[in-house]
Amino acid sequence: APVKSTFKKSGATVGLTSRSSSATATPPDLSAASVAAGAGAMHPFELRDVLRQMLAVLESERQALAGLDVDSIVGCAVEKTALCDRLDHTGADSVDEECRGLLDA
């Protein structure tokens, strides 16, 4: 069954529908407060969570590309941009061994 997610980014509401039957990943919190909170130093636990979300988005994007699902491809691009915004101010000192493993994945 399709999974529908709606979130706000830069004042615009974006709705996404995933056609994957194995959609178990929780969509990231893309509220303005959450993105703004990423502007400071990120705790390693939060960094791991964001990296795991990025891996889930990349997997969804891979499936969308394989299925030529333009709506999902665009949705993944929006999600990746929001996650990159959260990661933008993360310093190298925040990256521990587990995070390095996620980055290598």
Side-chain angles (χ1 to χ4, degrees), residues 36 46 52 68 70 78:
E46 184 181 4
R52 285 185 184 110
L68 300 176
V70 176
V78 170

Side-chain angles (χ1 to χ4, degrees), residues 38-39 42 82-91:
M42 191 177 290
L83 290 169
C84 286
D85 288 345
R86 289 182 64 190
L87 292 169
D88 193 30
H89 301 325
T90 302

Side-chain angles (χ1 to χ4, degrees), residues 12-88:
T13 301
V14 178
L16 300 174
T17 302
S18 171
R19 292 181 176 89
S20 172
S21 60
S22 63
T24 58
T26 304
D29 178 12
L30 300 176
S31 64
S34 173
V35 173
M42 191 177 290
H43 190 278
F45 292 121
E46 184 181 4
L47 177 59
R48 285 182 213 137
D49 185 48
V50 173
L51 291 173
R52 285 185 184 110
Q53 290 174 8
M54 181 65 81
L55 289 174
V57 170
L58 291 170
E59 177 61 23
S60 296
E61 182 181 47
R62 185 191 68 75
Q63 292 174 2
L65 288 166
L68 300 176
D69 183 353
V70 176
D71 292 337
S72 292
I73 294 169
V74 171
C76 289
V78 170
E79 289 183 61
K80 286 191 312 185
T81 300
L83 290 169
C84 286
D85 288 345
R86 289 182 64 190
L87 292 169
D88 193 30

